Amino acid sequence: MKNNGKRLLLAIDVGNSTLAYGVYSGISLKSSGYIPSNDIPKIDLIFNKSGALKHIKSVIISSVVPIFTQKLLKLMHRQLPKASVYVVGQNVRPDVPMRYKRRMLGADRLVNVYGALRFYDPPILVIDYGTAITFDYVSKSGIFEGGLIVPGVETSAKALQYRAVLLPKFGKLKSVPSLIGKDTKSAMHSGLLNGFGALSDGLIERFKKRYESKLKVLATGGFASKIAPYVRSFDHVDPFHTLRSLALIYQ
């Protein structure tokens, strides 16, 4: 990865299942990737191999798992002792006007709303597809009004596998060409993808009817691109919105 002598920023979003990272020069994304959140030491190998580690001068982190945050900070302080490290909710607090109980709002949701207010014109609904799916509504006046949370697609898939003993283990969810499956595995894949697609469209419709008919919808998170073909109501799909928002907060 070429850095052309510029100081690089490492943005990290730690979820319950997945850690997303992006290396930025200014607000330009140079490289990115995902690893399991419980495998944090892999970051060390990734950046040592790419040669980017010596060019990273700052790190900004959002995390919803305190124990992973501590492991990550130890790794950053060991590998990047001279870098400035910022953690959302600790030594950096983005300012977002809201009617939500601020102390109960996860760092990822705060970052998402902050970025949505600056990258898009409200009203906007930010849907983050992760371990849980969060729907966060920002009104026309630019105020975060609140949202709702449902189990994530892969979380539901795991629950289905563990609780229904006769259903087969089918690994990662695969795209399906048809609504109906011709065997149990394809029926499960279709049910989860089409089911959560319908759930998304249904909730989006309810938000529009109750709050704002011209509501724009942003889908983000690691599963956003995979669910997008099954949802009719998305205006924007940006799997890296949280990382882009972190880079913006740093800037």
Side-chain angles (χ1 to χ4, degrees):
M1 181 184 67
K2 295 180 180 180
N3 77 310
N4 297 322
K6 292 184 178 179
R7 297 162 62 89
L8 299 179
L9 167 71
L10 173 60
I12 301 175
D13 177 42
V14 185
N16 289 285
S17 303
T18 304
L19 179 153
Y21 64 87
V23 177
Y24 285 84
S25 176
I27 57 172
S28 176
L29 180 63
K30 297 299 182 182
S31 65
S32 62
Y34 298 92
I35 62 170
S37 292
N38 60 5
D39 207 0
I40 284 173
K42 271 191 176 179
I43 289 183
D44 193 8
L45 298 175
I46 290 167
F47 288 109
N48 275 324
K49 186 176 180 180
S50 70
L53 203 63
K54 61 184 178 182
H55 302 298
I56 293 170
K57 304 302 179 184
S58 300
V59 182
I60 185 165
I61 301 166
S62 70
S63 174
V64 295
V65 190
I67 190 170
F68 291 161
T69 309
Q70 294 308 312
K71 289 181 179 180
L72 188 57
L73 287 174
K74 287 181 181 179
L75 178 63
M76 293 297 103
H77 290 314
R78 184 173 71 248
Q79 295 291 355
L80 297 167
K82 295 183 179 180
S84 301
V85 180
Y86 303 93
V87 181
V88 173
Q90 294 186 16
N91 57 353
V92 59
R93 292 177 172 82
D95 185 24
V96 173
M98 67 177 70
R99 293 194 174 95
Y100 199 91
K101 288 186 178 179
R102 192 176 295 268
R103 63 183 178 82
M104 300 184 73
L105 183 64
D108 54 345
R109 297 173 69 192
L110 176 62
V111 170
N112 281 341
V113 171
Y114 180 92
L117 280 166
R118 283 150 183 83
F119 293 128
Y120 307 96
D121 294 325
I124 189 165
L125 182 66
V126 184
I127 310 177
D128 192 335
Y129 291 86
T131 304
I133 305 172
T134 56
F135 291 68
D136 290 322
Y137 168 59
V138 180
S139 66
K140 190 175 182 178
S141 57
I143 297 173
F144 172 43
E145 302 287 350
L148 55 83
I149 303 171
V150 298
V153 184
E154 291 181 319
T155 302
S156 298
K158 289 177 182 177
L160 186 62
Q161 288 182 317
Y162 287 124
R163 299 292 292 181
V165 295
L166 294 181
L167 291 179
K169 302 294 186 289
F170 61 91
K172 290 187 177 181
L173 278 169
K174 297 178 181 178
S175 298
V176 290
S178 173
L179 181 63
I180 57 172
K182 299 298 185 180
D183 55 57
T184 305
K185 284 187 179 182
S186 61
M188 294 166 70
H189 286 278
S190 181
L192 286 160
L193 291 167
N194 284 291
F196 275 90
L199 177 146
S200 299
D201 280 323
L203 286 174
I204 291 166
E205 182 181 0
R206 292 187 181 197
F207 271 96
K208 288 183 176 181
K209 282 185 176 179
R210 187 176 182 92
Y211 299 109
E212 176 58 61
S213 62
K214 296 181 179 179
L215 185 67
K216 296 297 182 184
V217 181
L218 165 66
T220 189
F223 208 80
S225 295
K226 185 167 283 189
I227 198 67
Y230 305 91
V231 182
R232 298 188 300 267
S233 309
F234 291 160
D235 296 293
H236 309 281
V237 178
D238 181 3
F240 298 107
H241 172 75
T242 310
L243 294 178
R244 281 210 306 150
S245 300
L246 281 170
L248 184 65
I249 290 168
Y250 173 79
Q251 293 301 324

